[in-house]
Amino acid sequence: MQRAMALNPRGNGPPQGSRDQQQSMRLFGYVRDREWTPIIGYVFYVSALAAGYYYNLTFVQLGIVDLGTRIVGMPRGAVAVAMAGLALCALVTALITGAVLDRRGWSADLHVKIRFLLAVISAQLVVTLCVPLVQSPTALHVWVLICALPLGVGIPVMFSMMSDLIPVRDRGYVAATVAGLAFFAAALYPFDWRVEEFALVVAAGMAPAVLVLAVVSSNKFRFVDRLAKQHAEFGPGRFCRGAPNSHRALVFWALVALMFTVFFIDSLGFLRIIESPGLMAASWQSPEFSVRLFIAVTHVAGAFAAGVLYTNFGQRWLFLWVFGLFAFTHLLYTFYLRGGEYSIPPLVLPMFYVLAVSFYTTLNFALWPDHSTPTTLGMRTAIGVGVAGWLATFLSTALALYSDEAEVSLLEHLNYVNALALFLLFALPVGLYAQKLLALYRRGGLA
């Protein structure tokens, strides 16, 4: 692989030259050489994905719960069912869209994906503006199903754009920038977690985005044509080189299962923690701006660390870091609940939680494009983000709502979450060791 990279100094691997040159981002070279087209690609991708993830974090994940419980007056269990329906509908839509993109060759066509993105954001703007019309359980269910359609289409369209716009070498840092910006904004604004506030913020951002995309998708700009040609240089992904197809497929499905459990653990604990009165003062819903600023800055620091680790270490180590952080974090929360408010400094709890979330979010942004080729990009990003992200998030959110409805105590609930995190922390290295033994056995090394 190193040899291949050395033969292709304009490729995705480190260029020939000093160690410093090999470790530096390609973005710095574009800036130094004043190559504005790829720089526009970086800005476009980071802006679009950070805004889209902010929309999902705030308006969708938190806004629907507020809409269903406070405005419509539904019990939390019924809202949990509606959210599970949202996840399933979004997943099916994402898989269909990913399959269509791959089959028609649109996964490698940036012009088509920009038009899809324009349709997605236009539909989401309409859905957001229709929130005041949702006043009954029936209206909520219909609205949720309609909301799921652009979400599902947007998953493979948006995530696959990384292969068009970002060189492999820079993907960890760019994913970290997206995660850091989205979490920083979500932690600080809006201060009041009400669906009206979320709708106002996202509608104000979507309206100009629709206008910009409408102009860009008109096929009248040469820089868009040049951006569309970058795909041949930037792809395939980092983990799709050298290994046989069967091995890559096995690794991909193992990663889907691992990432599903990561998202599941996070959302299973998060909703109960942020709505616990005893923990609220040191959480994302804190009334103190300083606490929220601390959480926002920690998100950025965690994302940056994850970007560095993603660029320089293998994916197995990153998953071990994530499971370890979640296990340690939930262990701290259970100690805190048992020992009282003076057992652990309050800001230590959200600090470790935030680091874990920033780590795996950065990993999720970069991992699926790096496990795809131009012919598998649509389906793999749909499966990776749709199954491991959306389905796990909303199923565990629904389970957390059901747990609250069934009056399971917060300590007991977090004990279950912590047990799952600890199991995965120890199961992962055991599984990897068993895989090495199996490979050695097949080669006759254990005979």
Side-chain angles (χ1 to χ4, degrees):
M1 184 174 177
Q2 289 292 334
R3 181 174 179 272
M5 291 173 178
L7 292 173
N8 180 19
R10 292 285 298 167
N12 299 306
Q16 295 175 324
S18 68
R19 181 174 177 80
D20 289 341
Q21 287 175 316
Q22 291 177 0
Q23 297 300 324
S24 64
M25 292 179 66
R26 288 191 64 180
L27 175 62
F28 298 148
Y30 294 138
V31 173
R32 183 183 60 242
D33 299 336
R34 297 184 181 182
E35 294 185 44
W36 301 115
T37 298
I39 294 172
I40 291 173
Y42 280 78
V43 174
F44 177 83
Y45 181 79
V46 169
S47 306
L49 192 55
Y53 204 66
Y54 175 88
Y55 171 83
N56 296 329
L57 284 172
T58 57
F59 180 74
V60 178
Q61 191 168 2
L62 301 172
I64 291 177
V65 176
D66 181 62
L67 178 62
T69 55
R70 184 176 60 85
I71 295 181
V72 179
M74 295 169 63
R76 295 174 73 81
V79 176
V81 173
M83 295 194 71
L86 170 78
L88 289 172
C89 187
L91 172 62
V92 171
T93 308
L95 294 178
I96 293 172
T97 306
V100 171
L101 289 176
D102 285 348
R103 180 163 295 184
R104 292 185 172 272
W106 292 342
S107 292
D109 191 333
L110 183 63
H111 293 286
V112 173
K113 286 190 279 191
I114 289 177
R115 292 189 203 108
F116 266 105
L117 187 61
L118 172 62
V120 165
I121 297 180
S122 300
Q124 288 177 332
L125 178 59
V126 173
V127 168
T128 304
L129 295 176
C130 289
V131 165
L133 302 177
V134 181
Q135 298 292 331
S136 68
T138 303
L140 178 81
H141 286 107
V142 173
W143 182 84
V144 162
L145 290 177
I146 295 173
C147 184
L149 297 178
L151 283 175
V153 174
I155 287 171
V157 169
M158 192 63 246
F159 279 78
S160 66
M161 282 189 180
M162 179 174 266
S163 294
D164 299 286
L165 305 176
I166 309 298
V168 167
R169 188 194 305 169
D170 293 0
R171 289 181 183 175
Y173 297 115
V174 170
T177 304
V178 172
L181 286 175
F183 281 122
F184 185 86
L188 288 181
Y189 195 83
F191 216 69
D192 191 5
W193 283 7
R194 298 161 70 94
V195 69
E196 300 94 328
E197 298 288 335
F198 293 138
L200 182 65
V201 173
V202 297
M206 284 177 177
V210 168
L211 293 176
V212 171
L213 285 171
V215 172
V216 171
S217 62
S218 62
N219 286 339
K220 295 181 179 178
F221 297 94
R222 291 183 178 177
F223 77 91
V224 181
D225 297 332
R226 292 195 290 270
L227 285 174
K229 293 176 182 175
Q230 291 183 154
H231 187 96
E233 180 185 357
F234 292 168
R238 170 186 171 187
F239 302 110
C240 287
R241 301 173 182 183
N245 289 334
S246 58
H247 178 73
R248 292 205 300 260
L250 182 64
V251 171
F252 172 77
W253 285 108
L255 292 172
V256 170
L258 285 174
M259 192 60 87
F260 181 94
T261 56
V262 169
F263 272 93
F264 192 87
I265 290 171
D266 172 28
S267 297
L268 192 59
F270 179 70
L271 198 64
R272 293 294 305 269
I273 289 172
I274 61 172
E275 295 191 347
S276 172
L279 298 172
M280 193 176 293
S283 76
W284 289 255
Q285 286 208 79
S286 172
E288 297 292 332
F289 178 78
S290 58
V291 173
R292 288 195 166 196
L293 181 61
F294 172 80
I295 290 173
V297 172
T298 307
H299 265 303
V300 174
F304 176 75
V308 173
L309 290 173
Y310 182 87
T311 305
N312 295 286
F313 289 88
Q315 50 202 336
R316 298 170 182 173
W317 288 104
L318 294 170
F319 276 103
L320 278 176
W321 270 97
V322 171
F323 287 136
L325 280 172
F326 269 125
F328 183 66
T329 302
H330 285 106
L331 204 60
L332 287 178
Y333 272 105
T334 55
F335 286 161
Y336 180 85
L337 292 173
R338 288 192 178 96
E341 60 179 319
Y342 298 109
S343 58
I344 297 173
L347 287 181
V348 171
L349 300 174
M351 181 182 75
F352 281 100
Y353 204 114
V354 161
L355 289 175
V357 170
S358 291
F359 262 65
Y360 85 74
T361 304
T362 300
L363 183 59
N364 185 55
F365 285 151
L367 196 60
W368 311 120
D370 269 348
H371 273 277
S372 304
T373 65
T375 57
T376 61
L377 193 54
M379 199 58 175
R380 289 208 163 185
T381 53
I383 293 172
V385 181
V387 175
W390 277 99
L391 188 63
T393 295
F394 286 99
L395 287 181
S396 59
T397 299
L399 190 59
L401 290 172
Y402 178 79
S403 164
D404 191 29
E405 184 82 4
E407 298 183 350
V408 176
S409 71
L410 178 62
L411 178 59
E412 187 178 0
H413 181 87
L414 291 183
N415 278 335
Y416 292 134
V417 180
N418 192 40
L420 181 58
L422 283 172
F423 169 76
L424 291 166
L425 175 64
F426 290 105
L428 180 59
V430 170
L432 293 174
Y433 184 69
Q435 183 191 28
K436 286 187 178 296
L437 286 180
L438 181 61
L440 193 61
Y441 173 78
R442 287 176 174 170
R443 290 198 299 266
L446 294 181

